[in-house]
Structures are given as structure tokens and as C-alpha cells.
Amino acid sequence: MTRYDFDLFTIGAGSGGVRASRMAAAYGARVGVAEVSRLGGTCVNLGCVPKKLMVYASEFSAAAEDARGFGWTVPQPTFDWATLIANKDREIARLNGIYRELLEGAGVRIMEGRARLRDRHTLEVDGKVVTADRILVSTGGHPFKSEIPGNELSITSDEIFHLDRQPERVVIAGGGYIAVEFAGILNGMGSQVTLVYRGPLFLRGFDDDVRSTLANELRKRGIDLRFETLIDRLERSGDELLATTNHGDVIKTDQVLSAMGRLPNTAGLGLEEVGVELSDRGAVVVDENLESSVPGIYALGDCIDRIALTPVALSEGMALAETLFHDNPSVVDYTNVPSAVFSQPPIGTVGLTEADARNQGFDVIIYRSTFKPMIHTLSGRDERTMMKLVVDRPSDRVLGVHMVGPDAGEIIQGMAVALKAGATKAVFDATIGIHPTAAEEFVTMRTPV
Ligand code: NDP
């Protein structure tokens, strides 16, 4: 006879929680999952998926301009925000349904409601008590807003996906993934975009050549980038918002998008009451097996605040299910995690930046290429692609691959396989290119900078 209702109970049906739950169920575990909102979590509902759809939507304006050099006569295109939002919502509802089928098909019991721990084996889901041998916390995160007067007038990425109207003017506060992606999205759709970032150059942590290349390209596309700038105060004035900066400038705008990072969703779950250690930022502290300070309580994804990317959460979910329910102890390897920023043009990156490699004591050789992408020889668009390899001189191993340019995310995925395999520059050199592509540049760079 089993003592508990479930072998595993998961709080939060986002990417990582769903993957762990359905794999555990596939391995024979009795699994329950509680979700207070829509299935699929941030990625499906308020992140990767709707964002990428909006990136596609916004890219058509540049495509229409670029088509003229190829002989097309394109009338001035017009964009309807409401159509996009409705179509996007329909697609997301479809994905919510797929997530439900995936879970139910695997035999996972879905409980709709807010879960709270009572003790290390007992939870309440909207008043209903369930017990579980093991508990998984995969509650994700939420946008953080800085404490400035009037900050309630700003929106976050949670709201931008559901605005009734496209803002004609928008101020974006922050210089990370979300800030630059929405700067491109809204600019492409015709909004007037001002991006305000506190440091000297946005995308801190990315390779410096990536950061400066993207800044140049965004400026060329008409985005007003203001670095070393913070918004001190927001006020409403009639129909518009007034954003006062630390330099005393007042920017008149229709919306202010706060994109200043995200914090783990760990409040109100009863975690601390049962002894689960949380970090200063509220993340569940876990060991390499994703187990918290309370044995049997695990956590993964954005709520552990390691690398807030869907594919990382998926790997964590997979590793947990393998370890706990498939007799196959697995840990996630957090090295060489590739990522893309869906800015316009996009960024793709894997491995060490030049600065990180030098700081870690590597003796590096740098290969870098900047060029006009072939499509723009006829489109007339003044845009440069930048590609860069960071190579360890003594071992010849490629430590980092970075790119700003069309299809960067698609290209860097393959480069990530090469880095995972420990490829050397000699292996890159021995690889035959695909012509004519931009990607071939990665295997033809011969002269160090
Ligand atoms: P990021 O951590 O990427 O960026 C946060 C930005 O806000 C930084 O520029 C940071 O500046 C700035 N900031 C933080 N606090 C303050 C403050 N008090 N005042 C002014 N500026 C501040 O967060 P995002 O919200 O953009 O995205 C969250 C995470 O979601 C990302 O880190 C990423 O992991 C994930 N994500 C991934 C995407 C993808 O894979 N394409 C897309 C979107 C999100 P500073 O650098 O100076 O600290």
C-alpha cells in the first residue's frame, strides 16, 4: 500500500514542470500537477512563443522595404495590432490544449488552482489536500519593477501581449533580452521607440562586439537609444505619460515598458515555513540534483534563478525525471548553453565572450568578420552582420561563437553542437562551407584580429 496520493506533485505547469511531470508519469510514477493560470507557463503564454510571433509580425515592414530593390512594387503596408493579437491568442489557446493533452495523455492529474505546502509531503490546492512522496516547485518568475514614483503607470512584458492598442510612442526601460526584443518588435510595427538603459552599453554579459554592433543597427533602424540614463519618475498628463530621466529630460510617451529582469515566484507557497532555503532574490536554493534544503522537495526552471531559458528548464525537468523515476542519475551541464536574442537583427551566442575568456586567464585568439549580408546588396539597407570566434591559443579549442545578423539563432544552434563536442579552430577550418550563406563565414575566417 502506498502512503501518498502521488509519487510526485508538481507546482507549476510551465516548460520545466510539464516536462518533469510527463516524463515521470511515462516512467510509471503517479503524478499530479497544480497550475493557477494557463498551462505552458511563461514561455507559451507570456514569453518565447507570443514574443516570436510578434517578431515575425514586425519583420514584414522591413521585408516590404527591402523587396523594392528586388523589383517589387510594394504599396505602403499598414499594420493592424488587433488582428495580430487575436491570431496570436488563438495559437496560444491551441498550445494550451496541446499541453493539456500531453499531460493527460501521460496520465498526469491536473489540478487547477493555487498550491501551498503544509508540510514536506502535504499540499493544499485551493483548499483540497493532497499528499506526495516528492514535491517539485516549478513556479517560474515574474517581472521586477524598480521603485520609482509613478511606476504603477508602466507595464511589463506580462501586459504588452494584451494591450488593446499599439502604442504610437513607447519608452522601454532596461537593457536585457526583453528590452531589446520589444524595441525591435514595436519599432518594426511603426511605434516610435526610446530605450533607456542605466549603463554605458546595453546587454551586459554579452560579447562587447555583439553589444556595440546591435546598438549601431538599432540606431540605424530609428530606435532612440539612451544609455547612462534612468527614469526617475513617471506621471500622467492627459492622454500621455511623462517619463522624467535622471538628466532632467522629460520624454512624452504613450506607454512605458519596464523590462528590468525577473524574480522567482516563490512567495506564498509555504516554502520557508517547511524549511526550504531561499536566496536573497527569493530563488529556491537547490543542489546539483535540484533538491532543496528539504529532502524530497525539488525545484527547477526560473524559480531557481540559474539560467532562465526554456530549454534549460526542459533539461532540468528531464534530468529530474531520469534521476528519480528511471534509475538513471542525471545532472544538467550548464556549460556552453546557447541563446538567441530575437532583436532585429538577431543575436546568437554560445560559449565565452572575449572578455570572460580573458578574465578567466585564457590566452585567446580572436577572429571577427563584419560584412553586408547578401540580401542587402540589392535591398539597399545599410546593415552589417558581425561574426566572431573566441579561440584558446594553446589548445586551439573554440571557446565562444557570437553573431549579430539574420538567422543568428538558427546558425548558432549548430555551432553549439560543435562547441559541446570540443571543436578546435582546425576543425572549423576543415569544415566545408555552404555557399552562399552567412554561416559559411564561421568556417572561412583565417586571419586573427
Ligand atoms: P535581463 O536580466 O536580461 O535584463 C534586465 C535589464 O534590466 C538589464 O539591462 C539590467 O541592467 C536592467 N535593470 C535591472 N535592474 C534595474 C534597475 N533597478 N534599474 C534600471 N535597470 C535595471 O532581464 P529581462 O527582463 O530582459 O529578461 C529576463 C530573463 O528572461 C532573461 O535574463 C532571459 O534569461 C530570459 N529571456 C530570454 C529570452 C530569449 O531567450 N530570447 C527572451 C526574453 C527573456 P544591468 O545589466 O545593468 O544589470
Side-chain angles (χ1 to χ4, degrees), residues 172 174-185 187-188 193-195 201-203 210-227 341-347 381-384 404:
I172 301 178
Y177 282 82
I178 294 178
V180 300
E181 289 183 345
F182 273 97
I185 289 170
N187 175 65
V193 178
T194 306
L195 185 150
L201 186 57
F202 59 12
L203 292 173
V210 165
R211 300 165 74 196
S212 55
T213 303
L214 190 75
N216 283 337
E217 294 307 329
L218 296 193
R219 286 195 165 113
K220 284 187 212 163
R221 288 185 181 229
I223 296 173
D224 180 3
L225 298 181
R226 301 198 192 179
F227 296 147
V341 183
F342 295 97
S343 46
Q344 296 174 41
I347 294 171
R381 180 178 295 280
D382 173 23
E383 181 181 298
R384 309 285 290 173
V404 182

Side-chain angles (χ1 to χ4, degrees), residues 47-48 51 143-147 157 173-181 196-199 201-206 211 229-231 258-262 281 302 307-311 338-342:
C48 330
K51 178 276 306 288
F144 152 83
K145 268 192 191 180
S146 67
E147 296 286 330
S157 55
Y177 282 82
I178 294 178
V180 300
E181 289 183 345
V196 169
Y197 171 60
R198 62 180 171 186
L201 186 57
F202 59 12
L203 292 173
R204 188 169 59 84
F206 285 79
R211 300 165 74 196
T229 303
L230 276 164
I231 294 175
S258 175
M260 295 191 179
R262 296 173 62 87
R281 280 171 44 89
D302 290 6
I307 302 181
L309 297 174
T310 291
S339 82
V341 183
F342 295 97

Side-chain angles (χ1 to χ4, degrees), residues 38-40 43-45 49-50 53 88-102:
R38 301 172 76 175
L39 299 178
C43 179
V44 169
N45 295 289
V49 174
L53 293 173
K88 180 258 307 172
D89 286 345
R90 196 172 323 110
E91 170 58 10
I92 286 170
R94 188 184 73 85
L95 294 175
N96 295 144
I98 289 176
Y99 270 71
R100 179 171 298 279
E101 283 164 23
L102 282 174

